[in-house]
Coordinates of all heavy atoms in Angstrom, one line a residue:
D1 N 0.8 -1.2 0.0 CA 0.0 0.0 0.0 C 0.9 1.3 0.0 O 1.6 1.5 1.0 CB -0.9 0.0 1.2 CG -1.8 1.2 1.3 OD1 -1.9 2.0 0.4 OD2 -2.6 1.2 2.3
P2 N 0.8 2.1 -1.1 CA 1.6 3.3 -1.1 C 1.3 4.3 0.0 O 2.1 5.0 0.4 CB 1.4 3.9 -2.5 CG 0.2 3.2 -3.0 CD 0.0 1.9 -2.3
D3 N 0.0 4.3 0.5 CA -0.4 5.2 1.5 C 0.3 4.8 2.9 O 0.7 5.7 3.6 CB -1.9 5.2 1.7 CG -2.6 5.8 0.6 OD1 -2.0 6.7 -0.1 OD2 -3.8 5.5 0.4
A4 N 0.5 3.5 3.1 CA 1.2 3.0 4.3 C 2.7 3.4 4.2 O 3.2 3.9 5.2 CB 1.0 1.5 4.5
V5 N 3.3 3.3 3.1 CA 4.7 3.7 2.9 C 4.8 5.2 3.1 O 5.7 5.7 3.8 CB 5.2 3.2 1.5 CG1 6.6 3.8 1.3 CG2 5.2 1.7 1.4
A6 N 3.9 5.9 2.6 CA 3.9 7.4 2.7 C 3.8 7.8 4.2 O 4.4 8.7 4.7 CB 2.8 8.1 1.9
T7 N 2.9 7.0 5.0 CA 2.8 7.3 6.4 C 4.1 7.1 7.1 O 4.5 7.9 8.0 CB 1.7 6.4 7.0 OG1 0.4 6.7 6.4 CG2 1.6 6.6 8.5
L8 N 4.8 6.0 6.8 CA 6.1 5.8 7.4 C 7.1 6.9 7.0 O 7.8 7.4 7.9 CB 6.7 4.5 6.9 CG 6.0 3.2 7.4 CD1 6.6 2.0 6.6 CD2 6.2 3.0 8.9
R9 N 7.1 7.3 5.8 CA 8.1 8.4 5.4 C 7.8 9.7 6.0 O 8.6 10.4 6.5 CB 8.1 8.5 3.9 CG 8.7 7.3 3.2 CD 8.8 7.5 1.7 NE 9.5 6.3 1.1 CZ 9.3 5.8 -0.1 NH1 8.4 6.4 -0.9 NH2 9.9 4.8 -0.5
E10 N 6.5 10.0 6.2 CA 6.1 11.2 6.8 C 6.5 11.2 8.3 O 7.0 12.2 8.8 CB 4.6 11.4 6.7 CG 4.1 12.7 7.4 CD 2.6 12.9 7.2 OE1 1.9 12.3 6.4 OE2 2.1 13.7 8.0
A11 N 6.3 10.1 9.0 CA 6.6 10.0 10.4 C 8.1 10.3 10.5 O 8.6 10.9 11.5 CB 6.3 8.6 10.9
I12 N 8.9 9.7 9.6 CA 10.4 9.9 9.7 C 10.7 11.4 9.5 O 11.5 12.0 10.2 CB 11.1 9.0 8.7 CG1 11.0 7.6 9.1 CG2 12.6 9.5 8.5 CD1 11.4 6.6 8.0
D13 N 10.0 12.0 8.5 CA 10.3 13.4 8.2 C 10.0 14.4 9.4 O 10.7 15.4 9.6 CB 9.5 13.9 7.0 CG 10.0 13.3 5.7 OD1 11.2 12.9 5.7 OD2 9.3 13.4 4.7
I14 N 8.9 14.0 10.2 CA 8.5 14.9 11.3 C 8.9 14.3 12.7 O 8.5 14.8 13.7 CB 7.0 15.2 11.2 CG1 6.2 13.9 11.4 CG2 6.6 15.9 10.0 CD1 4.7 14.2 11.6
W15 N 9.7 13.3 12.7 CA 10.3 12.7 13.9 C 9.1 12.2 14.8 O 9.1 12.4 16.0 CB 11.1 13.6 14.7 CG 12.2 14.2 13.8 CD1 12.2 15.5 13.2 CD2 13.5 13.7 13.5 NE1 13.3 15.7 12.5 CE2 14.1 14.6 12.6 CE3 14.1 12.5 13.7 CZ2 15.4 14.3 12.1 CZ3 15.3 12.2 13.2 CH2 16.0 13.1 12.4
A16 N 8.2 11.5 14.2 CA 7.0 11.0 15.0 C 6.9 9.5 15.0 O 7.4 8.8 14.1 CB 5.7 11.5 14.3
E17 N 6.3 9.0 16.0 CA 6.1 7.5 16.2 C 4.9 7.1 15.3 O 3.9 7.9 15.1 CB 5.7 7.2 17.6 CG 5.4 5.8 17.9 CD 5.2 5.6 19.4 OE1 5.6 6.4 20.3 OE2 4.5 4.6 19.7
T18 N 5.0 6.0 14.7 CA 3.8 5.5 13.9 C 3.9 4.0 13.7 O 4.9 3.3 14.0 CB 3.9 6.1 12.4 OG1 2.6 5.8 11.8 CG2 5.0 5.5 11.6
T19 N 2.7 3.4 13.4 CA 2.6 2.0 13.1 C 1.7 1.8 11.9 O 0.6 2.4 11.9 CB 2.0 1.2 14.3 OG1 2.9 1.3 15.4 CG2 1.8 -0.3 14.0
V20 N 2.1 1.0 11.0 CA 1.2 0.7 9.8 C 1.3 -0.8 9.6 O 2.2 -1.5 10.0 CB 1.7 1.4 8.5 CG1 1.7 2.9 8.7 CG2 3.1 1.0 8.1
E21 N 0.3 -1.3 8.8 CA 0.2 -2.7 8.4 C 0.2 -2.6 6.9 O -0.5 -1.8 6.3 CB -1.0 -3.5 8.9 CG -0.9 -3.8 10.3 CD -1.9 -4.7 10.8 OE1 -2.6 -5.4 10.0 OE2 -2.1 -4.8 12.1
L22 N 1.0 -3.5 6.2 CA 1.1 -3.5 4.8 C 1.6 -4.9 4.3 O 2.1 -5.7 5.1 CB 2.0 -2.4 4.3 CG 3.4 -2.3 5.0 CD1 4.4 -3.1 4.2 CD2 3.8 -0.8 5.0
W23 N 1.4 -5.1 3.0 CA 2.0 -6.3 2.4 C 3.4 -6.1 2.0 O 3.8 -5.1 1.4 CB 1.2 -6.7 1.1 CG -0.2 -7.3 1.4 CD1 -1.3 -6.6 1.2 CD2 -0.5 -8.5 1.9 NE1 -2.4 -7.4 1.6 CE2 -1.9 -8.6 2.0 CE3 0.2 -9.6 2.4 CZ2 -2.6 -9.7 2.5 CZ3 -0.4 -10.7 2.8 CH2 -1.8 -10.8 2.9
N24 N 4.3 -7.0 2.4 CA 5.7 -7.0 2.0 C 6.0 -8.3 1.3 O 5.2 -9.2 1.3 CB 6.6 -6.7 3.2 CG 6.8 -5.3 3.5 OD1 6.6 -4.4 2.7 ND2 7.2 -5.0 4.7
Y25 N 7.2 -8.4 0.8 CA 7.6 -9.6 0.1 C 9.0 -10.1 0.5 O 9.9 -9.3 0.8 CB 7.7 -9.2 -1.4 CG 6.4 -8.9 -2.0 CD1 5.8 -7.6 -1.8 CD2 5.6 -9.8 -2.7 CE1 4.6 -7.3 -2.3 CE2 4.4 -9.6 -3.1 CZ 3.8 -8.3 -3.0 OH 2.6 -8.0 -3.4
R26 N 9.1 -11.4 0.6 CA 10.4 -12.1 0.9 C 11.2 -12.0 -0.4 O 10.8 -11.8 -1.5 CB 10.2 -13.5 1.3 CG 9.3 -13.6 2.6 CD 9.4 -15.1 3.1 NE 8.5 -15.2 4.2 CZ 8.6 -14.7 5.4 NH1 9.6 -14.0 5.6 NH2 7.7 -15.0 6.3
A27 N 12.5 -12.4 -0.2 CA 13.4 -12.4 -1.4 C 13.0 -13.4 -2.5 O 13.2 -13.2 -3.7 CB 14.8 -12.8 -0.9
D28 N 12.2 -14.5 -2.0 CA 11.7 -15.4 -3.0 C 10.4 -15.0 -3.7 O 9.8 -15.7 -4.4 CB 11.6 -16.8 -2.4 CG 10.6 -16.9 -1.3 OD1 9.8 -15.9 -1.1 OD2 10.4 -18.0 -0.7
G29 N 9.9 -13.8 -3.3 CA 8.7 -13.3 -3.9 C 7.4 -13.6 -3.1 O 6.3 -13.1 -3.4
E30 N 7.5 -14.4 -2.0 CA 6.4 -14.7 -1.2 C 5.9 -13.5 -0.5 O 6.6 -12.8 0.1 CB 6.7 -15.8 -0.2 CG 5.6 -16.2 0.7 CD 5.9 -17.1 1.9 OE1 7.1 -17.5 2.0 OE2 5.1 -17.3 2.7
R31 N 4.6 -13.2 -0.6 CA 3.9 -12.1 0.0 C 3.6 -12.4 1.5 O 3.1 -13.5 1.8 CB 2.7 -11.7 -0.8 CG 2.0 -10.5 -0.3 CD 0.8 -10.2 -1.2 NE -0.3 -11.1 -0.8 CZ -1.6 -10.8 -1.0 NH1 -1.9 -9.7 -1.7 NH2 -2.5 -11.6 -0.5
F32 N 3.7 -11.4 2.4 CA 3.3 -11.6 3.8 C 2.8 -10.3 4.3 O 3.3 -9.2 3.9 CB 4.5 -12.2 4.6 CG 5.7 -11.3 4.8 CD1 5.8 -10.6 5.9 CD2 6.6 -11.2 3.8 CE1 6.9 -9.7 6.1 CE2 7.7 -10.4 4.0 CZ 7.9 -9.6 5.1
R33 N 1.9 -10.4 5.3 CA 1.4 -9.2 5.9 C 2.3 -8.8 7.1 O 2.8 -9.7 7.8 CB 0.0 -9.5 6.5 CG -0.8 -8.3 6.9 CD -1.4 -7.6 5.7 NE -2.1 -6.4 6.2 CZ -2.3 -5.4 5.4 NH1 -1.8 -5.3 4.2 NH2 -2.9 -4.3 5.9
N34 N 2.6 -7.5 7.2 CA 3.6 -7.1 8.1 C 3.1 -5.8 8.8 O 2.5 -4.9 8.2 CB 4.9 -6.7 7.2 CG 6.1 -6.6 8.0 OD1 6.3 -7.2 9.0 ND2 7.0 -5.7 7.5
R35 N 3.4 -5.8 10.1 CA 3.1 -4.6 10.9 C 4.5 -3.9 11.2 O 5.4 -4.6 11.7 CB 2.4 -4.9 12.2 CG 2.1 -3.7 13.1 CD 1.4 -4.1 14.4 NE 0.2 -4.8 14.1 CZ -0.1 -6.0 14.5 NH1 0.7 -6.7 15.2 NH2 -1.3 -6.6 14.2
V36 N 4.6 -2.7 10.8 CA 5.9 -2.0 11.0 C 5.6 -0.8 12.0 O 4.7 0.0 11.8 CB 6.4 -1.4 9.7 CG1 7.7 -0.6 9.9 CG2 6.6 -2.5 8.7

């Protein structure tokens, strides 16, 4: 989700705490749900 990635980047820019859930991928291409 590009909105979740944008939320992470915005938090870094403004030095804020945040948590998002999104789909990520392993090196072999397997998709998994991830909370960051």
Side-chain angles (χ1 to χ4, degrees):
D1 181 3
D3 292 335
V5 174
T7 297
L8 290 170
R9 289 183 178 152
E10 180 180 341
I12 292 168
D13 287 344
I14 64 171
W15 309 97
E17 180 176 336
T18 194
T19 299
V20 299
E21 287 189 16
L22 49 91
W23 289 106
N24 274 339
Y25 294 81
R26 299 190 187 292
D28 66 5
E30 179 188 354
R31 184 178 81 155
F32 65 99
R33 193 77 179 153
N34 197 31
R35 181 179 301 119
V36 179

